Amino acid sequence: MRDLKISEVNSLNKAIDILEILSKEKEWVTINEIIAITKYPRPTVYRLLYTMEKRGLIRYDSASAKYNFGFKFLEYSNALLASQDILQESEFTLIEMYKKLKQTVLLATVENDSLVYIFKRERAAEGIMYTSVVGQKRDLLYGALGRVLLAYLPKEQQEKFLNDPLPQWTPHTISDKASLLQDLEKIRSEKLCVEINEATIGLGGLHLLFLD
């Protein structure tokens, strides 16, 4: 991401703040909930919501007076995924892997120090399912996939990321910097990462690396 010496568009930043709220909430939200979080004046929030509704970026449900994402984002999402060279080059292999293993297969990339899923084929299962969503962002230390991506970042980018306190999702999560650095070195050496119960109790992941 570039750091230019120009001023940002304040109204656009406010609109994006509203979209960020919608992206984090699982349910539809009211204008009062948005105002409570953003602290923006009601007229400002209302104008932004109405403008985005007119452009298809959000939807308004008149029965509940609540807002959610609009279907326009599906167009943007498809365009973005179509532009990803890594996805175009690997999709056939990923689908074949899914057919043979009959397990969930994920592909992710790194964006602004976060893991972003760009491909998913999910194993059908009965009962409660724990799932990831294409476009979803997670911490780079979340699960085996994130750790593999972190292991192959440039050293200076790794150090910047590891300067912050390490998250701990379960008692099994590696939360010590020295231990994590050893694990990253092991991943680079073995081209393999296995994690069990570190991101979520009862779940694990296996990631093999195929490098040109």
Side-chain angles (χ1 to χ4, degrees), residues 139 141 161-167 175:
D139 193 289
L141 289 174
F161 182 83
L162 296 176
N163 280 336
D164 295 329
L166 300 181
S175 57

Side-chain angles (χ1 to χ4, degrees), residues 4-195:
L4 303 180
K5 304 302 180 182
I6 59 176
S7 59
E8 299 177 351
V9 180
N10 193 38
S11 60
L12 181 56
N13 272 330
K14 290 179 178 178
I16 294 172
D17 287 340
I18 293 174
L19 294 175
E20 289 284 348
I21 293 171
L22 295 179
S23 73
K24 294 174 182 176
E25 298 292 334
K26 295 182 179 179
E27 305 293 337
W28 292 58
V29 298
T30 65
I31 188 172
N32 288 335
E33 291 171 324
I34 294 172
I35 292 170
I37 296 172
T38 63
K39 310 301 182 186
Y40 297 149
R42 177 177 292 271
T44 298
V45 174
Y46 188 80
R47 287 196 301 270
L48 291 171
L49 288 170
Y50 181 68
T51 301
M52 290 190 285
E53 181 186 350
K54 294 286 285 185
R55 299 297 297 268
L57 296 176
I58 65 173
R59 290 173 289 156
Y60 175 71
D61 179 58
S62 57
S64 62
K66 292 183 177 182
Y67 297 86
N68 208 333
F69 275 121
F71 294 112
K72 192 70 176 178
F73 279 104
L74 291 177
E75 295 181 31
Y76 297 154
S77 175
N78 290 335
L80 175 61
L81 292 176
S83 69
Q84 298 295 309
D85 291 339
I86 184 174
L87 180 57
Q88 295 179 28
E89 294 171 2
S90 60
E91 186 170 14
F92 176 80
T93 301
L94 292 169
I95 292 174
E96 289 301 304
M97 186 184 302
Y98 168 76
K99 290 178 180 178
K100 291 179 180 179
L101 297 177
K102 294 182 173 55
Q103 297 293 326
T104 298
V105 175
L106 298 166
L107 176 66
T109 187
V110 177
E111 181 184 4
N112 298 333
D113 297 330
S114 294
L115 174 156
V116 182
Y117 297 110
I118 61 174
F119 175 91
K120 179 185 76 169
R121 284 293 185 277
E122 193 165 59
R123 177 179 68 92
E126 296 181 356
I128 297 175
M129 290 183 62
Y130 187 84
T131 185
S132 300
V133 179
V134 171
Q136 181 180 13
K137 286 188 175 183
R138 291 195 189 277
D139 193 289
L140 262 181
L141 289 174
Y142 190 87
L145 178 52
R147 200 173 306 167
V148 166
L149 293 172
L150 180 61
Y152 283 86
L153 287 179
K155 287 290 185 181
E156 60 274 13
Q157 197 170 348
Q158 279 187 18
E159 285 298 322
K160 178 183 176 183
F161 182 83
L162 296 176
N163 280 336
D164 295 329
L166 300 181
Q168 185 164 13
W169 291 281
T170 78
H172 306 284
T173 305
I174 297 177
S175 57
D176 173 72
K177 182 177 177 179
S179 299
L180 179 60
L181 287 172
Q182 290 180 356
D183 192 61
L184 296 179
E185 183 60 39
K186 181 180 178 182
I187 291 171
R188 288 190 293 268
S189 173
E190 298 181 354
K191 307 295 188 294
L192 169 71
C193 179
V194 179
E195 71 87 7

